């Protein structure tokens, strides 16, 4: 089935997609990075001088923020890959286009500079950054929430940089070490997503959430729900109508791996159960 779908893919031209990065979008990227850095700096200053800030509180918030960022990266990546069109006003050029370009030309991201790589993530993080800065720091609970939000969007901002490194042929030595110990997104792990038809392993901060989400069939379930509610076909703009319809029908009929495993375990247990011995005496 995978080979048949791969032959049906009708993706857009990589050069045309790359040309969609206009001067206006670049200016927006630069402004977003400057704003994001300013807000995060303001949050660090508040935490540094806060009476309720403690090392263990900050450490826990940063680690939980890392996991949350991995999940958020998966949801945003899935949305950009799966829904909408590159022709949509604003969203199409600024957000959806980079996802579609990346599927056609995986190495394009390695040629992007810092602003083009990270501007989008900074832009979408600004509202959360504002919230993190303005929250009261009147108790350890509020400080934890503020720190968690700030840490989460910091890792969200870093996600595309991690993603870019995972596609580099020779990343810096320290980055290669972090990839090998799976503290940031490893190339081999991410390559699973880049296997046609590109419908799994969307989490790209570190990738820790990919396996659990795949086991429960999270993204296929979300696609069925959205299609039921709106009639839209997932990935239609990315891989073409024919392949998108065939893929949707195949995933709609498939059970999540965790359900399949549970059924196999139940069947094995049932088969091994001994038959009851009759207590009646022979005549």
């Amino acid at each position: 089935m995978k080979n048949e779908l791969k032959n049906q893919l009708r993706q857009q031209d990589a050069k045309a997609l790359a040309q969609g990065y206009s001067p206006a979008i670049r200016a927006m990227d630069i402004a977003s990075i400057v704003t994001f850095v300013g807000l995060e700096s303001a949050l660090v200053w508040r935490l540094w001088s806060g009476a309720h800030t403690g090392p263990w509180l900050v450490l826990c918030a940063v680690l939980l923020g890392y996991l949350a960022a991995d999940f958020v990266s998966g949801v945003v990546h899935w949305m950009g890959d799966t829904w909408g069109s590159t022709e949509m006003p604003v969203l199409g050029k600024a957000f959806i286009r980079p996802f579609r370009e990346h599927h056609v030309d995986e190495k394009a991201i390695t040629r992007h500079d810092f602003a083009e790589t990270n501007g989008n993530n900074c832009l979408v993080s600004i509202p959360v950054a504002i919230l993190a800065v303005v929250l009261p720091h009147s108790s350890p609970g509020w400080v934890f929430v503020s720190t968690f939000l700030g840490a989460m969007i910091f890792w969200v901002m870093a996600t595309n940089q991690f993603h870019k490194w995972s596609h580099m042929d020779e990343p810096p030595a320290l980055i290669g070490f972090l990839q090998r110990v799976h503290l940031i997104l490893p190339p081999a792990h991410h390559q699973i997503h880049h296997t046609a038809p590109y419908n799994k392993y969307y989490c790209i901060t570190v990738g820790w959430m990919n396996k659990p989400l795949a086991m429960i069939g999270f993204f296929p379930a979300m696609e069925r729900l959205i299609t039921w509610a709106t009639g839209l076909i997932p990935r239609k703009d990315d891989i073409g109508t024919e392949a998108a319809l065939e893929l949707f029908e195949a995933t709609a009929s498939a059970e999540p791996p965790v359900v399949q495993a549970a059924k196999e375990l139940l069947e094995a247990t049932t088969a091994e159960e001994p038959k009851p011995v009759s207590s009646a005496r022979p005549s």
Side-chain angles (χ1 to χ4, degrees), residues 5-13 104 235-243:
L5 282 171
K6 188 172 182 179
N7 293 334
Q8 295 172 14
L9 300 187
R10 297 292 180 266
Q11 294 179 299
Q12 299 166 67
D13 180 68
V104 181
R235 280 170 289 278
K236 180 179 177 180
D237 183 68
D238 186 28
I239 64 175
T241 303
E242 184 180 356

mmCIF file of all heavy atoms in Angstrom, residues 5-13 104 235-243:
data_model
loop_
_atom_site.group_PDB
_atom_site.id
_atom_site.type_symbol
_atom_site.label_atom_id
_atom_site.label_comp_id
_atom_site.label_asym_id
_atom_site.label_seq_id
_atom_site.Cartn_x
_atom_site.Cartn_y
_atom_site.Cartn_z
ATOM 1 N N LEU A 5 0.721 4.351 -2.710
ATOM 2 C CA LEU A 5 0.452 5.733 -2.322
ATOM 3 C C LEU A 5 1.584 6.654 -2.753
ATOM 4 O O LEU A 5 1.347 7.769 -3.216
ATOM 5 C CB LEU A 5 0.256 5.822 -0.805
ATOM 6 C CG LEU A 5 -1.097 5.361 -0.284
ATOM 7 C CD1 LEU A 5 -1.071 5.288 1.236
ATOM 8 C CD2 LEU A 5 -2.202 6.307 -0.740
ATOM 9 N N LYS A 6 2.813 6.174 -2.610
ATOM 10 C CA LYS A 6 3.959 7.004 -2.977
ATOM 11 C C LYS A 6 3.907 7.355 -4.462
ATOM 12 O O LYS A 6 4.255 8.466 -4.874
ATOM 13 C CB LYS A 6 5.261 6.274 -2.648
ATOM 14 C CG LYS A 6 6.505 7.138 -2.811
ATOM 15 C CD LYS A 6 7.733 6.419 -2.283
ATOM 16 C CE LYS A 6 8.962 7.322 -2.401
ATOM 17 N NZ LYS A 6 10.168 6.664 -1.866
ATOM 18 N N ASN A 7 3.465 6.423 -5.290
ATOM 19 C CA ASN A 7 3.375 6.674 -6.719
ATOM 20 C C ASN A 7 2.273 7.660 -7.069
ATOM 21 O O ASN A 7 2.279 8.252 -8.151
ATOM 22 C CB ASN A 7 3.133 5.355 -7.467
ATOM 23 C CG ASN A 7 4.331 4.422 -7.377
ATOM 24 O OD1 ASN A 7 5.461 4.877 -7.213
ATOM 25 N ND2 ASN A 7 4.088 3.128 -7.472
ATOM 26 N N GLN A 8 1.303 7.830 -6.161
ATOM 27 C CA GLN A 8 0.167 8.711 -6.427
ATOM 28 C C GLN A 8 0.375 10.130 -5.895
ATOM 29 O O GLN A 8 -0.445 11.005 -6.154
ATOM 30 C CB GLN A 8 -1.103 8.127 -5.798
ATOM 31 C CG GLN A 8 -1.546 6.810 -6.413
ATOM 32 C CD GLN A 8 -2.680 6.174 -5.633
ATOM 33 O OE1 GLN A 8 -3.297 6.822 -4.803
ATOM 34 N NE2 GLN A 8 -2.941 4.909 -5.883
ATOM 35 N N LEU A 9 1.461 10.355 -5.141
ATOM 36 C CA LEU A 9 1.669 11.668 -4.532
ATOM 37 C C LEU A 9 1.799 12.736 -5.609
ATOM 38 O O LEU A 9 2.513 12.581 -6.580
ATOM 39 C CB LEU A 9 2.924 11.674 -3.662
ATOM 40 C CG LEU A 9 2.960 10.684 -2.489
ATOM 41 C CD1 LEU A 9 4.183 10.948 -1.629
ATOM 42 C CD2 LEU A 9 1.706 10.785 -1.656
ATOM 43 N N ARG A 10 1.077 13.833 -5.410
ATOM 44 C CA ARG A 10 1.118 14.948 -6.350
ATOM 45 C C ARG A 10 1.472 16.214 -5.581
ATOM 46 O O ARG A 10 0.617 17.044 -5.293
ATOM 47 C CB ARG A 10 -0.245 15.103 -7.047
ATOM 48 C CG ARG A 10 -0.651 13.902 -7.895
ATOM 49 C CD ARG A 10 0.256 13.746 -9.113
ATOM 50 N NE ARG A 10 -0.136 12.603 -9.926
ATOM 51 C CZ ARG A 10 0.377 11.404 -9.810
ATOM 52 N NH1 ARG A 10 1.304 11.158 -8.897
ATOM 53 N NH2 ARG A 10 -0.016 10.422 -10.589
ATOM 54 N N GLN A 11 2.758 16.344 -5.232
ATOM 55 C CA GLN A 11 3.175 17.479 -4.423
ATOM 56 C C GLN A 11 3.528 18.684 -5.290
ATOM 57 O O GLN A 11 3.716 18.572 -6.498
ATOM 58 C CB GLN A 11 4.364 17.074 -3.545
ATOM 59 C CG GLN A 11 3.964 16.020 -2.509
ATOM 60 C CD GLN A 11 5.145 15.600 -1.668
ATOM 61 O OE1 GLN A 11 6.128 15.089 -2.182
ATOM 62 N NE2 GLN A 11 5.040 15.799 -0.370
ATOM 63 N N GLN A 12 3.615 19.843 -4.627
ATOM 64 C CA GLN A 12 3.845 21.088 -5.334
ATOM 65 C C GLN A 12 5.331 21.280 -5.634
ATOM 66 O O GLN A 12 6.186 20.611 -5.078
ATOM 67 C CB GLN A 12 3.302 22.247 -4.491
ATOM 68 C CG GLN A 12 1.793 22.121 -4.255
ATOM 69 C CD GLN A 12 1.316 23.051 -3.157
ATOM 70 O OE1 GLN A 12 1.347 24.258 -3.318
ATOM 71 N NE2 GLN A 12 0.871 22.491 -2.054
ATOM 72 N N ASP A 13 5.620 22.223 -6.528
ATOM 73 C CA ASP A 13 6.987 22.465 -6.961
ATOM 74 C C ASP A 13 7.795 23.127 -5.851
ATOM 75 O O ASP A 13 7.379 24.139 -5.268
ATOM 76 C CB ASP A 13 6.976 23.370 -8.195
ATOM 77 C CG ASP A 13 8.378 23.657 -8.702
ATOM 78 O OD1 ASP A 13 9.028 22.728 -9.190
ATOM 79 O OD2 ASP A 13 8.807 24.816 -8.573
ATOM 80 N N VAL A 104 8.703 18.417 0.092
ATOM 81 C CA VAL A 104 9.215 18.303 -1.270
ATOM 82 C C VAL A 104 10.743 18.362 -1.275
ATOM 83 O O VAL A 104 11.405 17.663 -2.046
ATOM 84 C CB VAL A 104 8.639 19.435 -2.157
ATOM 85 C CG1 VAL A 104 9.162 19.309 -3.579
ATOM 86 C CG2 VAL A 104 7.115 19.375 -2.160
ATOM 87 N N ARG A 235 -4.629 16.193 4.179
ATOM 88 C CA ARG A 235 -3.478 16.132 3.271
ATOM 89 C C ARG A 235 -3.836 16.291 1.798
ATOM 90 O O ARG A 235 -3.017 16.019 0.922
ATOM 91 C CB ARG A 235 -2.686 14.824 3.474
ATOM 92 C CG ARG A 235 -1.762 14.851 4.662
ATOM 93 C CD ARG A 235 -1.194 13.490 4.963
ATOM 94 N NE ARG A 235 -2.211 12.621 5.509
ATOM 95 C CZ ARG A 235 -2.568 12.617 6.787
ATOM 96 N NH1 ARG A 235 -1.986 13.407 7.639
ATOM 97 N NH2 ARG A 235 -3.520 11.823 7.231
ATOM 98 N N LYS A 236 -5.049 16.738 1.508
ATOM 99 C CA LYS A 236 -5.472 16.887 0.111
ATOM 100 C C LYS A 236 -4.579 17.867 -0.639
ATOM 101 O O LYS A 236 -4.201 17.621 -1.789
ATOM 102 C CB LYS A 236 -6.920 17.353 0.069
ATOM 103 C CG LYS A 236 -7.479 17.558 -1.332
ATOM 104 C CD LYS A 236 -8.936 18.004 -1.266
ATOM 105 C CE LYS A 236 -9.480 18.288 -2.667
ATOM 106 N NZ LYS A 236 -10.896 18.728 -2.607
ATOM 107 N N ASP A 237 -4.215 18.989 -0.006
ATOM 108 C CA ASP A 237 -3.389 19.991 -0.676
ATOM 109 C C ASP A 237 -1.927 19.569 -0.760
ATOM 110 O O ASP A 237 -1.198 20.038 -1.621
ATOM 111 C CB ASP A 237 -3.495 21.332 0.074
ATOM 112 C CG ASP A 237 -2.714 22.453 -0.591
ATOM 113 O OD1 ASP A 237 -3.103 22.869 -1.693
ATOM 114 O OD2 ASP A 237 -1.703 22.893 -0.012
ATOM 115 N N ASP A 238 -1.503 18.677 0.135
ATOM 116 C CA ASP A 238 -0.090 18.303 0.196
ATOM 117 C C ASP A 238 0.260 17.176 -0.767
ATOM 118 O O ASP A 238 1.273 17.251 -1.466
ATOM 119 C CB ASP A 238 0.261 17.888 1.635
ATOM 120 C CG ASP A 238 1.742 17.615 1.828
ATOM 121 O OD1 ASP A 238 2.549 18.220 1.101
ATOM 122 O OD2 ASP A 238 2.092 16.804 2.701
ATOM 123 N N ILE A 239 -0.548 16.124 -0.826
ATOM 124 C CA ILE A 239 -0.179 14.947 -1.627
ATOM 125 C C ILE A 239 -1.146 14.670 -2.776
ATOM 126 O O ILE A 239 -0.976 13.700 -3.506
ATOM 127 C CB ILE A 239 -0.066 13.687 -0.735
ATOM 128 C CG1 ILE A 239 -1.414 13.325 -0.099
ATOM 129 C CG2 ILE A 239 0.991 13.875 0.330
ATOM 130 C CD1 ILE A 239 -1.386 12.032 0.698
ATOM 131 N N GLY A 240 -2.178 15.496 -2.934
ATOM 132 C CA GLY A 240 -3.131 15.290 -4.022
ATOM 133 C C GLY A 240 -4.380 14.559 -3.557
ATOM 134 O O GLY A 240 -4.357 13.785 -2.596
ATOM 135 N N THR A 241 -5.479 14.794 -4.247
ATOM 136 C CA THR A 241 -6.783 14.270 -3.827
ATOM 137 C C THR A 241 -6.826 12.751 -3.816
ATOM 138 O O THR A 241 -7.306 12.128 -2.867
ATOM 139 C CB THR A 241 -7.886 14.805 -4.754
ATOM 140 O OG1 THR A 241 -7.856 16.233 -4.745
ATOM 141 C CG2 THR A 241 -9.261 14.326 -4.285
ATOM 142 N N GLU A 242 -6.334 12.121 -4.874
ATOM 143 C CA GLU A 242 -6.423 10.656 -4.998
ATOM 144 C C GLU A 242 -5.693 9.954 -3.857
ATOM 145 O O GLU A 242 -6.249 9.079 -3.182
ATOM 146 C CB GLU A 242 -5.848 10.218 -6.346
ATOM 147 C CG GLU A 242 -5.990 8.712 -6.608
ATOM 148 C CD GLU A 242 -5.407 8.307 -7.956
ATOM 149 O OE1 GLU A 242 -4.961 9.197 -8.713
ATOM 150 O OE2 GLU A 242 -5.381 7.096 -8.246
ATOM 151 N N ALA A 243 -4.443 10.344 -3.628
ATOM 152 C CA ALA A 243 -3.665 9.713 -2.564
ATOM 153 C C ALA A 243 -4.253 10.038 -1.192
ATOM 154 O O ALA A 243 -4.270 9.187 -0.302
ATOM 155 C CB ALA A 243 -2.212 10.175 -2.631
#
